[in-house]
Amino acid sequence: MTTDDVLATEPDAPAFNPDEWPTPDHWSDAARDAFLSVIEQRPELAGAELAQLEQAAELVTTADLMMSVAARTDYVLNGSQGQTVISGAVTESRLARQAAGQMLARLAPLSSSQLRKVSGLRQGKQL
């Protein structure tokens, strides 16, 4: 019996059902998508790895909230001497996304479209 014969007789894995993984209501769509994408790739996650994935989703949600805060002021504020400065929420969002991306990369490789979504990047014009 060859490996192909064994693989052909193994039952198919059950289809991924995201409804089996309820997520907190406060998570952003990007956080929920990242969480479910990793769970789909690694349904066996448990313990510390699952906690790390949940923390990454929280960070993505925080990043989305920070960008929402920054957007309300057109991403700039008045500094202590009246000068225009970039909103601190922009920096906090970037740092949260960076940390979340590092955590997600350790758990499961994401496709380039998933990485763009999590990082908030959009597909640019192809040259």
Side-chain angles (χ1 to χ4, degrees), residues 21 23-37 57 60-61:
W21 290 91
T23 56
D25 291 338
H26 70 276
W27 280 4
S28 67
D29 290 342
R32 195 169 284 107
D33 289 348
F35 178 86
L36 293 174
S37 293
V60 172
T61 296

Side-chain angles (χ1 to χ4, degrees), residues 5-87:
D5 294 333
V6 171
L7 293 174
T9 59
E10 287 183 13
D12 291 332
F16 175 70
N17 181 0
D19 294 333
E20 293 176 3
W21 290 91
T23 56
D25 291 338
H26 70 276
W27 280 4
S28 67
D29 290 342
R32 195 169 284 107
D33 289 348
F35 178 86
L36 293 174
S37 293
V38 173
I39 290 297
E40 185 173 13
Q41 289 180 40
R42 297 207 37 216
E44 80 287 352
L45 277 182
E49 286 184 320
L50 183 56
Q52 183 179 12
L53 176 57
E54 290 170 346
Q55 184 60 42
E58 290 288 347
L59 285 168
V60 172
T61 296
T62 299
D64 290 342
L65 289 172
M66 290 290 108
M67 286 307 286
S68 175
V69 167
R72 282 187 239 148
T73 62
D74 291 330
Y75 305 96
V76 295
L77 300 169
N78 290 328
S80 61
Q81 297 182 1
Q83 77 278 25
T84 301
V85 295
I86 192 161
S87 172

